[in-house]
Amino acid sequence: MGHVHKTKILKFVLCIPIVLCIINFTPPCVRYLIGFIPMEKCPLDSGKKLNLDYSVDANLDLWSRTDVQTCTSWKAPVIWEGMFEPKLYDEMHTKERSSVALTVFAVGRYLDAYLRTFLNSSERHFMVGLPVTYYVFTDLPKKVPDIKLAPQRSLKVIKVDRYSRWQDISMMRMKTISDVIESDIRHHCTHVFCFDVDQVFTGRFGSEALGESVALLHAYYYHLPKSLYTYDNNPKSKAYMEAGDLYYHAAVFGGSWKSVKALTEDCYQSIMEDKQNNVEARWHDESHLNKYLWLHKPSRVLSPEYCWDTSIGYRSDIQVTRLLWAAKHYETLRT
């Protein structure tokens, strides 16, 4: 029996108890079993056969991690600990004069709850050694904390409106990011990374993550079979998908400024068309992001190391954590 056939059988067998757990509402059981579902494996024998963002990507060791998926079907790398040499990427991006804009929204109570910790941890771990400009979008500019920044790093505060629904804040950030890329970022930075504020950097989130179009594997979905991905299932929505490749998390996405501008513009247009038709996508901007990245494949995919939730529990394939979900307090922050 071939390896592919055996893998399909194993996935089917493991999915049976997972579905039973879902039916019986036992999340710990689900999380434990999901970790045993094997991921697809990279069919390439060398990093040289990838569709390269940069020449240094040819040095990626795709088979240093036989336990996980290290490339996609369209030959984009999936970045995991052990695959790359940090020094090679840092030297290359320094030589190329790469610079990064980091966008983050801290609206309402989210500012007091998360922003200071997010920024301080970013200073310790995000793109250390490269020029970084923080773009903080908030309805409370005077409350943005004073953070000690390293050389070549700066912070800009941009006032935004506060919407009554958190879903609208989440979705409308796409237009705001697109607008500031056009008016400011494209004149100063080569790359853009967009983050949710309720996260904490805990390890290197470095230049190996930079690429033309960068997406993040969702920590809760990367072991699941595609049949369990929660794409938007409403044919009336612009985010509607019958099937897809991977499931991406909207808490982190990035790329060149041109790529991120194209993504945010497209998602905003889709969101507004849905609004005109009185439709709201299943997971709001994340649903639209997944649809866009299905149609426009990312050139680089980050493993869940780059945005992990410790409540999932132990996973042998998560050897390091680079960014963690902060404790959520939705009952107080979203009211």
Side-chain angles (χ1 to χ4, degrees), residues 44-52 55 57-60 62:
L44 306 180
D45 58 13
S46 169
K48 295 178 181 179
K49 295 183 179 180
L50 292 166
N51 288 326
L52 306 178
S55 59
D57 288 338
N59 295 300
L60 288 169
L62 301 178

Side-chain angles (χ1 to χ4, degrees), residues 23-222:
I23 293 173
N24 288 284
F25 303 102
T26 53
C29 173
V30 176
R31 294 168 188 165
Y32 177 75
L33 289 170
I34 286 173
F36 289 97
I37 301 176
M39 299 182 73
E40 295 181 6
K41 294 298 183 285
C42 178
L44 306 180
D45 58 13
S46 169
K48 295 178 181 179
K49 295 183 179 180
L50 292 166
N51 288 326
L52 306 178
D53 269 331
Y54 312 103
S55 59
V56 70
D57 288 338
N59 295 300
L60 288 169
D61 188 349
L62 301 178
W63 289 96
S64 64
R65 294 294 304 271
T66 57
D67 55 331
V68 292
Q69 181 179 355
T70 57
C71 76
T72 68
S73 60
W74 58 94
K75 300 182 181 180
V78 183
I79 307 298
W80 295 85
E81 173 70 7
M83 286 178 55
F84 62 91
E85 175 53 56
K87 184 178 179 181
L88 292 178
Y89 281 94
D90 291 344
E91 289 178 346
M92 186 273 292
H93 280 285
T94 298
K95 182 179 180 181
E96 294 293 322
R97 297 185 178 181
S98 298
S99 54
V100 186
L102 184 160
T103 72
V104 63
F105 285 71
V107 178
R109 295 176 180 146
Y110 276 75
L111 190 153
D112 286 334
Y114 299 116
L115 184 60
R116 182 182 295 276
T117 299
F118 176 87
L119 292 174
N120 279 327
S121 66
S122 176
E123 277 297 284
R124 292 191 295 272
H125 300 294
F126 181 74
M127 303 295 166
V128 175
L130 290 181
V132 172
T133 303
Y134 298 100
Y135 289 81
V136 177
F137 300 94
T138 181
D139 58 328
L140 301 167
K142 293 182 180 179
K143 296 189 71 175
V144 172
D146 185 19
I147 302 296
K148 184 178 180 180
L149 302 176
Q152 299 189 88
R153 298 167 85 95
S154 60
L155 186 149
K156 297 184 179 183
V157 179
I158 299 172
K159 192 176 189 307
V160 294
D161 294 331
R162 180 181 180 182
Y163 293 90
S164 58
R165 299 170 65 246
W166 68 265
Q167 295 94 333
D168 290 323
I169 296 171
S170 178
M171 290 188 290
M172 296 307 290
R173 68 172 174 157
M174 292 296 186
K175 174 173 172 52
T176 305
I177 292 170
S178 174
D179 288 347
V180 80
I181 289 174
E182 176 62 29
S183 64
D184 192 314
I185 290 174
R186 71 186 186 94
H187 302 293
H188 307 291
C189 299
T190 59
H191 297 79
V192 183
F193 256 101
C194 307
F195 289 90
D196 284 353
V197 71
D198 51 350
Q199 306 180 101
V200 181
F201 291 92
T202 56
R204 173 189 168 93
F205 198 119
S207 58
E208 74 283 349
L210 296 176
E212 178 60 28
S213 173
V214 184
L216 168 76
L217 289 182
H218 199 298
Y220 277 81
Y221 292 86
Y222 74 106

Side-chain angles (χ1 to χ4, degrees), residues 286-299:
E286 185 168 278
S287 295
H288 290 281
L289 177 127
N290 269 276
K291 177 66 173 287
Y292 181 88
L293 292 172
W294 177 56
L295 296 173
H296 307 85
K297 309 296 188 197
S299 64

Side-chain angles (χ1 to χ4, degrees), residues 253-267:
F253 61 93
S256 70
W257 69 261
K258 288 183 179 180
S259 174
V260 177
K261 188 172 189 297
L263 181 154
T264 52
E265 282 182 345
D266 187 277
C267 288

